[in-house]
Amino acid sequence: MVLKLSPLVLGFWRLRKWGFTAQEILALTERAVELGITSMDHAMVYRSEAAFGEALALRPPMRDQIQIISKCGIRPQGFGELGAESVNHYDFSKAHTIQSVEASLRDLGTDRIDLLLLHRPDFLMDIGEVAETFAELKEAGKVLHFGVSNFTVHQLESLQSALPDPLATNQIEFSPLQMSPLGDGTLDAAQRMGMRPMFWSALAGGRLFRPKTKREVAVVSALQGVADEVGAMSIAAVAYAWSMALPSRPHPILGTCKIDRVEDAVSSLTLHLSREQWYRVWEASNGAPVP
Ligand SMILES: NC(=O)c1ccc[n+]([C@@H]2O[C@H](COP(=O)([O-])OP(=O)(O)OC[C@H]3O[C@@H](n4cnc5c(N)ncnc54)[C@H](OP(=O)(O)O)[C@@H]3O)[C@@H](O)[C@H]2O)c1
């Protein structure tokens, strides 16, 4: 089955902070789906899945309208869900991955995860063991597709070499205030491998709305200048359009809990920046023009 994610993805990392009821989670999700945002980003470590599962239980047909993304492999100290952790660590062992997926399925109240990502690279990753784990989860119908998050190009290529199917994505941090993937090969690799990346903190975790440093002020001013030129609703819409202008065709992940901000984000899908507008934002972030 082909994985089809929506161009924009809705992220639930901050769900516990929102303090939403199940009904409020459902309302946000339903509106997002109406707007064409059908891919929902979770992780076992966000502790967002049980609350989302309760929201889904209010409207079971919603499950077939969305794609659920979950992540595994981070074990914070004292996290407690799957046992006592004495130190923050990563764990891509077969036993832990399977336990984590089982916990996610139980909390979400579903029989399948559409896309499972290895959350942050585990330095003790045994690529053969990961391949076996993926095969077992796929065979059981518990996970339909696999990908990674925060992987370097070498880590990505190493894991890919052990797998029969292409990894679906590398979910990475990218925004006008985090441009490292433009220069470290991550986005070149994504393009070469035909793998659409996903961008987390595409609005720099909200820092675009409270600029403090000279660099942040310059970036916001450049985004505002472009917004005025193209008639965008907000600098957020320009920031998303700026990310989506990349030829690897990334999926930005929205981190907002506000329906009007989700609607605003959708307006970015019809914005097109010229090369000069794109480079003006790049230059503001870089602090100097291209040579
Ligand atoms: N794979 C990974 O390692 C990883 C790491 C981090 C995040 N993620 C994923 O990426 C998703 C998005 O990350 P993120 O939450 O950092 O995204 P983000 O969109 O960069 O930041 C979201 C924050 O910005 C605020 N915000 C958004 N629009 C705003 C506006 N117009 N004015 C003022 N504040 C605004 C939001 O507040 P409001 O809610 O009030 O709008 C929220 O606090 C997460 O939910 C998670 O699914 C993945």
Side-chain angles (χ1 to χ4, degrees), residues 132-151:
E132 245 182 60
T133 311
F134 283 5
E136 196 169 311
L137 287 167
K138 192 167 184 174
E139 173 69 24
K142 292 179 178 176
V143 176
L144 307 185
H145 302 274
F146 299 89
V148 297
S149 178
N150 303 303
F151 269 44

Side-chain angles (χ1 to χ4, degrees), residues 2 15 34 59 65 71-72 78 81 83 101 105-106 108-109 121 151 160 178 190 204 218 233 243 246 278:
V2 178
L15 177 60
E34 274 170 21
R59 194 162 172 274
Q65 293 176 262
K71 312 186 200 77
C72 63
E81 171 73 11
V101 166
L105 291 172
R106 179 200 65 210
L108 290 159
F151 269 44
Q160 184 63 76
Q178 172 47 283
M233 282 165 69
S243 289
L246 291 166
W278 193 92

Side-chain angles (χ1 to χ4, degrees), residues 237-252:
V238 175
Y240 289 128
W242 184 81
S243 289
M244 288 188 288
L246 291 166
S248 51
R249 299 167 62 230
H251 300 271

Side-chain angles (χ1 to χ4, degrees), residues 4 17 20 22 28 31 41-42 80 101 118 125 133 142 146 159 162 168 171 184-185 202-203 207 234 242 256 287:
K4 196 160 174 357
K17 280 203 193 128
F20 273 16
L28 178 68
R31 182 65 184 132
D41 188 68
H42 290 269
V101 166
L118 300 176
M125 166 173 75
T133 311
K142 292 179 178 176
F146 299 89
L159 177 58
Q171 186 180 114
D184 66 12
L203 303 180
R207 276 189 297 140
S234 66
W242 184 81
T256 186

Side-chain angles (χ1 to χ4, degrees), residues 30-78:
E30 283 185 323
R31 182 65 184 132
V33 170
E34 274 170 21
L35 291 165
I37 301 175
T38 56
S39 304
M40 308 293 157
D41 188 68
H42 290 269
M44 214 273 283
V45 79
Y46 296 168
R47 293 207 196 274
S48 57
E49 295 179 331
F52 192 78
E54 278 177 39
L56 275 185
L58 296 176
R59 194 162 172 274
M62 174 66 79
R63 175 64 190 96
D64 292 331
Q65 293 176 262
I66 61 172
Q67 302 83 44
I68 295 183
I69 301 159
S70 186
K71 312 186 200 77
C72 63
I74 298 186
R75 303 189 69 173
Q77 184 180 5

Side-chain angles (χ1 to χ4, degrees), residues 125 127 153-163:
M125 166 173 75
I127 57 174
V153 175
H154 287 309
Q155 289 161 341
L156 181 74
E157 288 177 342
S158 166
L159 177 58
Q160 184 63 76
S161 72
L163 301 174

